[in-house]
Amino acid sequence: MIHPDCERILISAEEIAAKVRAAGEWLTEKFRGKFPVAVCNLKGSGVFFCDLLRAAQIDAEMDFMAVSSYGSDTVPGRPKITRHLFSSVAGRDVILVEDIVDTGRTLVTLRRFFAERGAKSVTVVALLDKPSRRVVESCADYTCFEVGDYFLVGYGLDYAERYRNLPYIAVLKENVYAK
Ligand code: PRP
């Protein structure tokens, strides 16, 4: 049953699960025998991060940080680090897990953040990519789905902190965010 605030399901839970499995296999190949630190950029990536790490047969540390580019509205701002990592990334292979690459500003900010802290390598895995919205050159190393410029919610993505726990990715009805 689709949430009444959603217009249509863009990506079903089954389609997400299949792509997450494939992304997990990709990580398994890439990090076999290593001990990377997998970083979840809260909050949007939380759901994807947990599923992805369980799909990857790797020995990885899990860490969490937050960079915010939007408030409770949709006007992009300057990405700001609002929660710092628990551990150091100096000399470590970093797997950054993102729910969406939109303007690309967050990715640029985070790649710089890890480089400045001496990370050995940074591999970005993104669930969604919205290339039509890009304002800075930046992309993930592995992307599960390329999507159009829709207002999407679910599987971690929110509007005003709602809908993150929907098991699918859906297009939000315009009257919900245009209120
Ligand atoms: C979203 C998303 C990415 C970022 C991408 O985070 O989780 O981190 O925006 O946007 P960009 O490519 O334009 O920089 P948001 O600031 O909405 O916070 P949230 O994850 O807590 O929802």
Side-chain angles (χ1 to χ4, degrees), residues 41-46 66-71 73 76-77 79 97-110 133-136 156-158 161 164:
N41 179 18
L42 295 167
K43 298 176 186 173
S45 308
V67 181
S68 197
S69 46
Y70 304 100
D73 60 0
V97 180
E98 268 292 6
D99 54 334
I100 186 162
V101 184
D102 193 353
T103 65
R105 288 191 181 112
T106 302
L107 220 51
V108 167
T109 301
L110 285 178
R133 296 257 310 158
R134 205 72 95 250
V135 299
V136 290
L157 282 84
D158 76 312
E161 297 302 331
R164 291 195 199 272

Side-chain angles (χ1 to χ4, degrees), residues 2-148:
I2 185 167
H3 191 290
D5 290 350
C6 297
E7 188 180 294
R8 66 189 167 96
I9 292 176
L10 187 71
I11 309 171
S12 70
E14 293 74 23
E15 288 172 308
I16 294 170
K19 287 284 189 178
V20 169
R21 260 196 311 275
E25 284 163 15
W26 185 78
L27 286 177
T28 303
E29 285 303 310
K30 193 170 168 67
F31 291 96
R32 196 185 303 282
K34 297 182 176 170
F35 180 48
V37 54
V39 175
C40 173
N41 179 18
L42 295 167
K43 298 176 186 173
S45 308
V47 178
F48 177 46
F49 182 78
C50 294
D51 284 349
L52 179 64
L53 267 288
R54 285 179 296 179
Q57 310 284 306
I58 57 172
D59 195 11
E61 180 175 347
M62 292 164 86
D63 208 340
F64 302 84
M65 68 184 298
V67 181
S68 197
S69 46
Y70 304 100
S72 57
D73 60 0
T74 56
V75 182
R78 241 179 104 87
K80 205 175 86 183
I81 293 168
T82 51
R83 295 267 190 286
H84 277 271
L85 292 168
F86 289 85
S87 53
S88 164
V89 296
R92 304 286 304 274
D93 292 308
V94 173
I95 302 169
L96 171 64
V97 180
E98 268 292 6
D99 54 334
I100 186 162
V101 184
D102 193 353
T103 65
R105 288 191 181 112
T106 302
L107 220 51
V108 167
T109 301
L110 285 178
R111 283 193 189 274
R112 192 184 309 129
F113 173 87
F114 293 126
E116 283 170 1
R117 279 154 186 80
K120 189 169 148 199
S121 70
V122 180
T123 301
V124 180
V125 180
L127 176 68
L128 305 176
D129 188 9
K130 256 190 201 177
S132 62
R133 296 257 310 158
R134 205 72 95 250
V135 299
V136 290
E137 211 174 302
S138 177
C139 66
D141 299 282
Y142 189 103
T143 300
C144 293
F145 301 96
E146 196 174 296
V147 291

